[in-house]
Each structure stands twice: as structure tokens, then as C-alpha cells.
Amino acid sequence: MMEYRGYLAAVEFDDSSNVLHGRVINSGAYPIATFEATDTAQLRREFHRSIDEYLAWCEEDGVEPKRPFSGKLNVRLGSELHAAVAAAAAARGMSINSWIVGVVREGTNAPYRTTRE
């Protein structure tokens, strides 16, 4: 994973062409940028250039750029699961939000952050 200006990129290696392919993954359903290179230093430069060009294009055309995910997520659980989540959170003395963040973090092995979720 690579990060630049809040955007995250996933990288894959194409063994048949010996090329690294990258794409922005945290800006919605479709990547705002894709890029490729034959080595990691060039890949990082191409990622930065792609993001900078995308943001410059948006500014030039007066278009609001797709921003990295905000951190807000609306999830529909159904009433039974919602009640179970509320009970689990209450049993641990936590808010539902804090409990869900902890479960998701554990399930994804995401690092702990001290800033507000």
C-alpha cells in the first residue's frame, strides 16, 4: 500500500510484462488514477504525479475532486443484529461506535489510532 496526500494506492505486479501497476483505492467505486512503472522508485513518482495532475485538472475545470474516504460509514444491520451489537458494547462499557470500530480494526488488522474515530 502507498499513501500520498491522503490517497491510498494498491500495487500489483504483472510477471508477464515485468511491470508494477498501481491504482487509487480510497476514492470511491472507480479509481481516480492508475499508473505503472518498472521499479518502486518510479512507481512512487508516477503515483505522486498522477494525484497531482488529477487535483490540478479538477481545480482547472472547477470540478470538486473525489476525496479519500471520510471515515463515515452507514451500515444497515437489521434489528436483531443491532440489538446484539448494543448489548455487546454495553457489556464492555463502550459506545456502539467504539465497539464496532474495535471489531472492524481487529478483523482488518488495522493499526490503532489515538485520534477520534
Side-chain angles (χ1 to χ4, degrees):
M1 213 53 83
M2 298 168 49
E3 187 274 333
Y4 179 64
R5 297 180 77 169
Y7 293 94
L8 295 176
V11 177
E12 297 175 351
F13 177 67
D14 182 348
D15 191 38
S16 65
S17 62
N18 203 33
V19 173
L20 296 161
H21 298 278
R23 63 183 167 79
V24 173
I25 60 169
N26 67 330
S27 61
Y30 302 101
I32 60 166
T34 59
F35 47 95
E36 61 183 39
T38 56
D39 64 64
T40 57
Q42 181 188 21
L43 188 74
R44 185 170 305 283
R45 285 190 305 273
E46 290 299 315
F47 175 39
H48 293 193
R49 185 185 60 74
S50 294
I51 294 299
D52 291 341
E53 285 182 1
Y54 169 72
L55 295 173
W57 173 83
C58 288
E59 185 176 341
E60 201 174 281
D61 285 6
V63 173
E64 185 66 28
K66 289 185 181 179
R67 296 291 178 188
F69 293 134
S70 67
K72 296 178 183 178
L73 178 65
N74 183 12
V75 179
R76 289 173 177 74
L77 302 175
S79 59
E80 289 181 20
L81 185 54
H82 190 169
V85 167
R92 289 165 183 78
M94 301 171 77
S95 70
I96 290 174
N97 189 75
S98 293
W99 185 84
I100 290 173
V101 167
V103 170
V104 170
R105 180 173 285 120
E106 184 178 312
T108 61
N109 294 317
Y112 176 76
R113 288 181 29 188
T114 57
T115 57
R116 182 185 164 122
E117 303 297 339

